[in-house]
Amino acid sequence: MNFLRQQFPLLIALVTGLVMIAQYYIAGEYSRDLGGKAADAYIIIQGIVIYLGIFSLLHSHIGKVTRLEAGWGYSIFMFLGIVLMLVAGFWSGGRLDEGTPYKWLYDNTIVPLSATLFSILAFFIASAAFRAFRARSVDATLLLTAAVIIMFCRVPWGEYLAGLISEEGGPAATRAIARWILEVPNVAATRGIILGVALGIVATSMKIIFGIERGYLGED
Amino acid sequence: MNYHARRSIALSCARLSARQLARSALLCALTWGVLLGQPALADEAKAPVELTQPTGVSAGDFPYDDGSVIAVYWDRMPYDAVEGVEYRIERAATADGPFTEVMRVPAGKHFMKDVALPFWAWSKNPDRHLVQVPTPTRPAEADVPAPAADPAAADDEAAPQEEEGKPDVGTTYYFRVQPVYGEQSGPASEVVSAAARSNWLALPRLNNFVCVVVFGGILLAYLEYAKRRELFLRKIPGLVAVDEAIGRATEMGRPVLYMTGRLDMDNISTIAATIILGEVAKKTARFEVDLKVPHSYSVTMAVCREITRNAYLEAGRPDIYRDDINYYITEEQFSYAAAVNGQMLREKPGAVFYMGYYYAESLLMAEAGATTGAIQIAGTDSESQLPFFVTTCDYTLIGEELFAASAYLSRRPELVGTLRGQDLGKLIIMIGLLVGTAIVTLAPLGGYSTDWLYDILRSS
């Protein structure tokens, strides 16, 4: 029993990990098929486990309604939404084609609601930028300076003002400065982060494959 | 005006019209003459070219693939430089034909040197043509003469076309190459044959394999080293603050909210986030503070339940563990963000953790969290979302720090050892960058090619 709980999952991780690494270095048809089948297997697992998710969702919202917790009214809307989408889904015969009630409902509820939430991002960016651009330290001052230069170079009136200094050279210079900041120091820093992330990913993968990292199994 | 005057004007007008008409007629004739003469001029421009039979023609399986391509080679010919000369590649199921055109490529393109394979896996011969002909798919096409590919589509691009089904591996096909120039066709080459086969080794990925082996060796070496000697770990403020954040939530009697990112368990940053959750859950169990972990994927939720249960058990508080610590919300990006934001505004958590990979919802959630006054700690490898977390959160684990967190929090020697291995890996990369920069800067001055360096660095 102990083997099934502790060693067996590690064995599965080791074998699966090594097979999938080998699959990357093997070119043939069988290797390609194996990669596809592994992806399919994961989709099947997701399909099975989604019921756990639905059960969890219903359980937590039923609890909210019965206990009349803060915001329990939203849970009622959640139940209504589930019932409505289920009915529409069955009515559409499980299809998501154009013209089906399910697609109509999705396009006219989820899509506009998501778009509304996404549009709030513009205001949040402004408030976050306001906090970030307060020059309280050397780093923040550098960030502020770079941001001001980029904004000046990217907005039309920046080019207009530069054009007053030199009609032809001004706007071109502003574009060149903005491009340089974005393509040289910005890309250099981003690549530094990406290299560190890549090494971190390889190290974590190896630790999981060789059973050094067992935290994802709930073990120390 | 008298009669004579009027007649004189009328006659002069008529003369003028006649002159104009004559001029117009002349212009028309010239225009039509030019237009009608165009084909003749074009024909004149396409003066006959001596199209000799292509030499050195051979065919073979294209290496390092699953058999979906057969390569046809031939020598560079004298007429390759002539604009408009093309090669017609024909294929047949038998040596006697009938042959069908499968590709047509410009004569001045498609050489072995143009194939994007590294030097250790491919000979970059500049004097040998190479065309990659897609292998017919089985079974429908296997026993009949191969169908003609769209020659127009293959004009500029001789890369394999996407075909449905599996390639007909093992069947011999016959090929010949014929130069064409407008309506003029040269003699076809001798017939050559080849069969596609599925290759085993992806030799172009040798550079990647060597890197993984070297880096893996370094990690394992440091793992052993760390078991014998204690290694220094620099302070990571974001991880030092975990205790402070949970402590503050405890003092305020508010819950701790933990998110594992917007990707499923097949993503390594989600795995890293779940591992950190184990450490956080141990602390919340010890402090007896309420932990809430909303999920957007059921698989992640199921894994996190197991992790949290074990963490509470290890902390000696299985009695306060509940399954609904981890709960499912939705996979929809903004619906998830809306649910989390609503929860933050209603319950005012004392500490919020954003670990894992995020998209546009990062700022929506982190800004909402900031308004509640919670201590916010983020850790992500999504470089596009890092600026948002840096501006809105109190502490941010940048990139690799997310993957270092489990070692830092658990202090297990073997995990700490791998961190030192990562550092050595970074040092090697930095030295490689400096050496590489020096080589690509100085080599062209001495007339040396640096293609080999790009081959080493390129992912195949």
Side-chain angles (χ1 to χ4, degrees):
Chain A
M1 203 61 188
N2 207 28
F3 170 78
L4 281 179
R5 279 191 66 81
Q6 289 178 354
Q7 276 82 35
F8 190 60
L10 293 176
L11 190 67
I12 292 174
L14 176 71
V15 173
T16 315
L18 291 179
V19 166
M20 295 315 291
I21 287 176
Q23 186 261 337
Y24 182 75
Y25 297 110
I26 294 171
E29 181 186 342
Y30 298 110
S31 164
R32 190 186 59 181
D33 289 352
L34 182 69
K37 282 192 170 64
D40 290 346
Y42 189 75
I43 291 168
I44 292 167
I45 292 170
Q46 276 182 317
I48 296 167
V49 181
I50 189 73
Y51 292 103
L52 273 181
I54 294 167
F55 178 76
S56 158
L57 188 71
L58 294 176
H59 180 257
S60 93
H61 283 275
I62 287 169
K64 274 185 187 174
V65 174
T66 51
R67 288 192 298 270
L68 294 178
E69 279 183 17
W72 65 271
Y74 300 122
S75 300
I76 301 287
F77 278 98
M78 199 281 303
F79 288 120
L80 280 176
I82 284 187
V83 171
L84 205 59
M85 289 310 266
L86 266 177
V87 170
F90 281 118
W91 191 5
S92 310
R95 293 193 322 273
L96 302 173
D97 309 337
E98 231 21 92
T100 55
Y102 185 87
K103 181 85 167 87
W104 185 88
L105 209 54
Y106 186 88
D107 286 348
N108 291 285
T109 54
I110 303 290
V111 172
L113 285 171
S114 296
T116 307
L117 205 64
F118 188 50
S119 60
I120 297 172
L121 205 57
F123 301 100
F124 280 171
I125 285 176
S127 64
F130 175 74
R131 268 206 304 280
F133 293 167
R134 278 178 296 180
R136 287 178 301 188
S137 63
V138 178
D139 294 347
T141 312
L142 273 175
L143 184 69
L144 173 67
T145 313
V148 168
I149 293 171
I150 292 285
M151 277 193 286
F152 180 81
C153 296
R154 284 290 168 117
V155 293
W157 65 265
E159 283 196 13
Y160 170 74
L161 290 177
L164 294 179
I165 299 166
S166 166
E167 201 170 330
E168 294 213 342
T174 55
R175 282 193 293 270
I177 291 167
R179 199 167 54 239
W180 183 84
I181 291 173
L182 290 174
E183 290 180 2
V184 181
N186 182 48
V187 168
T190 308
R191 283 186 183 163
I193 293 169
I194 290 171
L195 282 172
V197 166
L199 285 177
I201 287 173
V202 174
T204 308
S205 305
M206 282 188 170
K207 283 187 279 188
I208 289 169
I209 289 170
F210 293 116
I212 302 160
E213 176 67 83
R214 295 186 291 270
Y216 70 101
L217 295 171
E219 293 176 32
D220 195 12
Chain B
M1 197 179 285
N2 60 23
Y3 167 73
H4 292 285
R6 270 186 273 133
R7 187 169 177 269
S8 167
I9 290 167
L11 277 174
S12 64
C13 283
R15 272 200 299 275
L16 193 68
S17 298
R19 202 180 298 142
Q20 280 178 331
L21 273 172
R23 196 181 291 162
S24 301
L26 186 64
L27 273 171
C28 275
L30 279 171
T31 309
W32 278 104
V34 168
L35 288 173
L36 292 170
Q38 277 298 317
L41 288 174
D43 284 347
E44 205 174 311
K46 280 200 169 185
V49 175
E50 194 187 351
L51 298 174
T52 54
Q53 187 184 42
T55 58
V57 180
S58 63
D61 170 58
F62 189 76
Y64 321 122
D65 71 349
D66 59 353
S68 56
V69 170
I70 294 175
V72 179
Y73 310 85
W74 67 97
D75 292 337
R76 183 189 281 273
M77 302 302 291
Y79 44 79
D80 281 355
V82 178
E83 185 73 29
V85 176
E86 293 176 315
Y87 286 106
R88 180 192 294 147
I89 293 93
E90 296 175 317
R91 183 176 62 195
T94 64
D96 300 328
F99 281 89
T100 318
E101 181 178 323
V102 286
M103 291 184 105
R104 190 182 276 236
V105 296
K109 293 182 179 177
H110 303 295
F111 291 95
M112 285 178 75
K113 69 177 172 60
D114 301 327
V115 176
L117 285 173
F119 66 87
W120 62 85
W122 183 254
S123 164
K124 293 194 180 267
N125 191 336
D127 295 321
R128 290 277 286 166
H129 278 286
L130 161 75
V131 166
Q132 299 174 44
V133 182
T135 310
T137 50
R138 63 170 183 255
E141 298 174 56
D143 53 351
V144 294
D150 179 8
D155 252 8
D156 288 326
E157 187 50 67
Q161 304 292 307
E162 192 67 37
E163 290 183 37
E164 286 183 9
K166 291 186 174 179
D168 186 19
V169 173
T171 304
T172 302
Y173 284 92
Y174 297 84
F175 298 88
R176 67 184 187 191
V177 180
Q178 186 180 26
V180 288
Y181 182 57
E183 296 299 311
Q184 183 191 353
S185 296
S189 71
E190 61 187 62
V191 176
V192 292
S193 65
R197 64 188 173 85
S198 182
N199 297 281
W200 275 98
L201 197 62
L203 196 59
R205 290 178 175 171
L206 183 68
N207 53 348
N208 184 296
F209 182 71
V210 169
C211 284
V212 168
V213 168
V214 169
F215 186 54
I218 291 171
L219 285 182
L220 294 176
Y222 266 105
L223 189 146
E224 286 303 316
Y225 182 72
K227 283 179 185 170
R228 293 193 302 272
R229 187 176 293 189
E230 194 176 343
L231 294 174
F232 168 75
L233 266 184
R234 76 171 167 87
K235 268 192 177 178
I236 300 176
L239 295 174
V240 173
V242 168
D243 279 337
E244 179 198 336
I246 297 172
R248 187 164 173 269
T250 313
E251 284 168 8
M252 296 171 81
R254 290 181 180 178
V256 171
L257 199 60
Y258 189 101
M259 276 151 282
T260 55
R262 282 280 304 127
L263 292 176
D264 208 351
M265 275 307 285
D266 57 342
N267 185 274
I268 199 78
S269 48
T270 308
I271 296 176
T274 60
I275 293 167
I276 300 167
L277 171 65
E279 301 298 329
V280 171
K282 276 181 211 163
K283 293 179 198 300
T284 56
R286 283 193 201 109
F287 292 139
E288 293 183 33
V289 63
D290 205 8
L291 174 65
K292 298 198 169 199
V293 192
H295 291 280
S296 48
Y297 288 96
S298 317
V299 178
T300 317
M301 185 194 73
V303 172
C304 287
R305 276 188 176 170
E306 197 66 22
I307 289 171
T308 315
R309 184 184 294 121
N310 280 295
Y312 274 67
L313 196 65
E314 221 169 283
R317 296 308 308 269
D319 52 311
I320 55 171
Y321 170 77
R322 303 180 324 275
D323 259 352
D324 60 5
I325 286 175
N326 291 275
Y327 52 96
Y328 177 79
I329 292 182
T330 174
E331 287 181 22
E332 282 285 335
Q333 182 184 20
F334 291 111
S335 307
Y336 178 82
V340 171
N341 280 6
Q343 189 166 6
M344 282 197 278
L345 294 173
R346 282 193 300 273
E347 299 180 11
K348 305 259 186 293
V352 184
F353 293 87
Y354 306 93
M355 299 290 167
Y357 203 94
Y358 292 87
Y359 296 96
E361 70 285 348
S362 67
L363 188 62
L364 289 175
M365 297 194 299
E367 271 290 289
T371 58
T372 64
I375 288 191
Q376 299 202 102
I377 300 176
T380 186
D381 57 337
S382 165
E383 71 274 5
S384 59
Q385 302 306 317
L386 271 172
F388 299 129
F389 279 135
V390 169
T391 44
T392 49
C393 293
D394 299 280
Y395 301 95
T396 307
L397 305 176
I398 296 174
E400 60 182 322
E401 288 177 345
L402 172 70
F403 302 105
S406 75
Y408 192 93
L409 293 170
S410 71
R411 300 278 169 168
R412 279 173 56 202
E414 60 269 35
L415 293 181
V416 174
T418 57
L419 288 189
R420 186 58 68 88
Q422 276 175 250
D423 286 345
L424 188 62
K426 272 184 281 181
L427 181 67
I428 292 170
I429 287 175
M430 280 192 274
I431 293 170
L433 283 173
L434 287 174
V435 172
T437 308
I439 289 172
V440 293
T441 308
L442 300 175
L445 300 176
Y448 298 104
S449 165
T450 53
D451 289 349
W452 59 273
L453 187 62
Y454 292 111
D455 276 352
I456 290 172
L457 297 174
R458 191 179 292 132
S459 160
S460 299

